[in-house]
Amino acid sequence: MIIDTHTHYDNSRYDDDRHEIITALSKNGVDIIINIGCDMKTSRASVKLAEAYPHVYATVGSHPHYVKEMTDDSLDVMTKLAKSKKVVGFGEIGLDFFHNHSPQETQKYWFKRLLWLVNDLKLPAIIHSRDANDEVFKMIKHSPVRSGVVHAFSGDAALASAYVDMGFHIGIGGVVTFKKTDMLQEAVAVTPLEKILLETDCPYLAPEPHRGKRNESSYLTFVAEKIAKIKGVTAEAVYAQTNENARKLFGI
């Protein structure tokens, strides 16, 4: 059975069939999903989903796109939400210098504060890094956080190894199945299977042969098969090890 460690089933693209998809997960080989919070609204929605379904867990967080909306009051509310029974991680948090929906200095200010909050809460961090790999790594290195996952990893093999040495897991999703992703595939090759997590980021980043469509957790079979090919192991070995990795990291 698969554990999808990064989903957004609260997204409006599932408004017409959310319940049907979530209740059918086990029939499609998916044991557990972790729904990720990106701001106050989605953090609350993630906790609500987790409370409604036994096989759904949640995180709360503030994605770099939305930290421009953060205040000390919202931080207090988020802290309380993070203590909900089925919250197993904190994030997404990080930096996104590709879109820059929040000013870069604002992103860095809140990323630093949220890293320290993660440490206080003793939860694993879900790290978002886009076009900011050096800065994200540097800020984490200078924080006390040593547990979590670098979501949708986009760096090279050296960076993957550096994160693993620091205690982090590497999140691998549909992008690894795309053409011209040699750098990511090299990162997968050097990352111990014990440090890899499967994730969809659904509804985004559907793997081949579903690229461009709405992503679903059952599509992780294509990701697992690609990882298995890169690592020279069976898909079953990938399922078993990544399942164990997720359970250990998130305390499920």
Side-chain angles (χ1 to χ4, degrees):
M1 298 293 280
I2 297 168
I3 295 180
D4 186 350
T5 61
H6 198 111
T7 72
H8 298 285
Y9 281 112
D10 57 292
N11 187 278
S12 61
R13 291 176 68 181
Y14 300 105
D15 283 353
D16 292 336
D17 58 357
R18 181 177 296 109
H19 177 71
E20 290 77 11
I21 288 177
I22 293 176
T23 54
L25 286 171
S26 61
K27 290 192 297 183
N28 293 317
V30 181
D31 190 26
I32 287 169
I33 63 170
I34 300 175
N35 208 74
I36 306 297
C38 293
D39 58 10
M40 293 300 297
K41 180 180 178 181
T42 58
S43 293
R44 288 192 177 99
S46 293
V47 172
K48 188 175 180 181
L49 268 182
E51 290 172 344
Y53 300 95
H55 55 301
V56 178
Y57 291 83
T59 74
V60 301
S62 188
H63 188 290
H65 287 353
Y66 309 114
V67 290
K68 62 187 176 185
E69 302 164 5
M70 286 287 291
T71 65
D72 286 343
D73 287 342
S74 60
L75 190 64
D76 289 342
V77 174
M78 199 166 285
T79 302
K80 291 176 183 175
L81 268 180
K83 296 176 181 178
S84 300
K85 190 174 181 180
K86 293 193 73 181
V87 169
V88 296
F90 198 94
E92 299 177 40
I93 60 173
L95 303 175
D96 192 314
F97 291 171
F98 178 77
H99 289 291
N100 287 310
H101 290 325
S102 294
Q104 291 187 7
E105 289 306 313
T106 301
Q107 291 185 46
K108 289 190 282 188
Y109 170 80
W110 281 108
F111 185 34
K112 182 177 181 179
R113 289 193 65 179
L114 291 168
L115 282 169
W116 284 90
L117 176 58
V118 168
N119 185 64
D120 291 343
L121 292 169
K122 295 180 171 56
L123 289 170
I126 293 85
I127 303 297
H128 176 102
S129 177
R130 187 166 186 190
D131 281 16
N133 282 332
D134 291 344
E135 191 70 33
V136 169
F137 183 82
K138 186 189 306 180
M139 291 184 69
I140 294 174
K141 187 176 181 180
H142 289 97
S143 83
V145 178
R146 292 296 181 268
S147 174
V149 54
V150 185
H151 155 62
F153 184 77
S154 61
D156 60 16
L159 184 61
S161 295
Y163 271 119
V164 168
D165 289 345
M166 200 158 55
F168 280 80
H169 290 69
I170 304 299
I172 303 297
V175 174
V176 77
T177 69
F178 298 172
K179 296 177 181 179
K180 299 180 181 178
T181 55
D182 292 349
M183 186 173 74
L184 177 57
Q185 293 181 40
E186 289 169 5
V188 171
V190 303
T191 302
L193 193 52
E194 293 79 9
K195 283 294 185 177
I196 291 176
L197 297 179
L198 298 180
E199 57 175 40
T200 53
D201 202 22
C202 64
Y204 315 108
L205 300 178
E208 298 288 0
H210 300 288
R211 187 174 182 180
K213 299 178 183 178
R214 186 184 73 170
N215 204 357
E216 297 181 12
S217 297
S218 61
Y219 294 168
L220 279 173
T221 54
F222 300 101
V223 177
E225 288 166 3
K226 184 66 175 184
I227 293 171
K229 184 176 181 181
I230 294 168
K231 306 291 282 182
V233 300
T234 64
E236 288 71 22
V238 175
Y239 298 140
Q241 187 61 61
T242 56
N243 187 311
E244 182 180 343
N245 299 344
R247 289 184 182 278
K248 284 183 178 179
L249 178 63
F250 294 108
I252 297 171

